[in-house]
Amino acid sequence: MAAVEPSPSLFAGPLGAVESNPTALKVILGGKLRELRAAAGLDPSAVDVRLGFSRSKTSRIELGRHGCKPADAVALLELYGVSGEESVAEFLRLVEQSRRSDWWRSFSDVLSDFFAPLVALEGAAATIRTYEPFYVPGLLQTSAYARAVIESGPARLYAHDVHRRVELRRERQRQLDQPDAPRLWAVIDESVLMRTVGGPKVMREQLEHLTAMMQEPRITLQIAPLDVTASVGVGTGVTYLRFALNDLKDAVYIEHLTDSTFSQKPQVVEQYRDMLDRLGACALTPKNSLALIEERLSRL
């Protein structure tokens, strides 16, 4: 088996802020191990047998669903012919990083399984694109508005659970304050402005918050008039994650009534990216969107 050519790094470039995201690191490391395995001409089951792994362990590691232990990483790299001391050392450093606990795991008591993939990876995205037909996007909600939205849901929640969900939303928003924060491009349905969530005071505070956030260079907000959303045919909330690193595939999160779908299948991602492109092209410009929000504010 030919050894992989030693180099200072097994990765195309610095991972940057992604290094602080254990979930994203697991996916990246798994993808790199899959690439190395394929170059070595081995299939996952053969690797399981050669290294004495349990059945499908190699596949789970490659999918980022199973954390890679340092000893397993050493064995895999050796099997795949990676001999460069610096390459191995860097890989093991990232393995250690990936074994830390994600910040969002402390909210596991209120974080639904179907929502976890979005929360886990949105901080690692270069761009977050979202469309919301009913409410202001969670990343732009005030605490009072978020509380009103959560309390209006179909499930009856204790006050503690409502508070925890609001806190989770606030922690997600703090990711936008980081130096390498994702760029947020949000489109909301015009009806969102008409829906007085939580009462006039809460809604006024929320719209004032939107006007302030629209001054941030990393944030773009557009309002989609009713006739636009009727013609484009979105019908549901969508969030699209665009990653700058080739090791992370773009993803879409599609909301349903009682659950959601998180997909990284290229055909699904492309379909929703195209939809968001058409929606953004038809929506009001940010300048005209701001004027519409200010007009709504004047009526509250």
Side-chain angles (χ1 to χ4, degrees), residues 237-257:
V238 176
T239 299
Y240 166 72
L241 303 182
R242 172 70 175 171
F243 299 103
L245 301 172
N246 291 332
D247 302 283
L248 277 172
K249 293 190 290 186
D250 293 354
V252 290
Y253 173 83
I254 307 140
E255 297 177 4
H256 308 299
L257 181 61

Side-chain angles (χ1 to χ4, degrees), residues 200-245:
K201 182 176 183 296
V202 170
M203 194 64 190
R204 167 173 282 279
E205 181 187 61
Q206 175 62 71
L207 295 184
E208 288 173 344
H209 179 65
L210 285 184
T211 64
M213 295 301 287
M214 291 176 75
Q215 308 309 312
E216 297 291 332
R218 288 181 174 272
I219 296 176
T220 300
L221 176 63
Q222 294 178 264
I223 306 298
L226 298 178
D227 57 344
V228 168
T229 51
S231 61
V232 174
V234 183
T236 188
V238 176
T239 299
Y240 166 72
L241 303 182
R242 172 70 175 171
F243 299 103
L245 301 172

Side-chain angles (χ1 to χ4, degrees), residues 14-26 28 94 97 100 121 123-126 180 243-245 248:
L15 300 185
V18 172
E19 289 196 24
S20 64
N21 188 309
T23 296
L25 272 184
K26 287 185 180 72
I28 290 173
L94 294 175
Q97 293 276 83
R100 295 175 305 154
L121 290 175
D180 293 325
F243 299 103
L245 301 172
L248 277 172

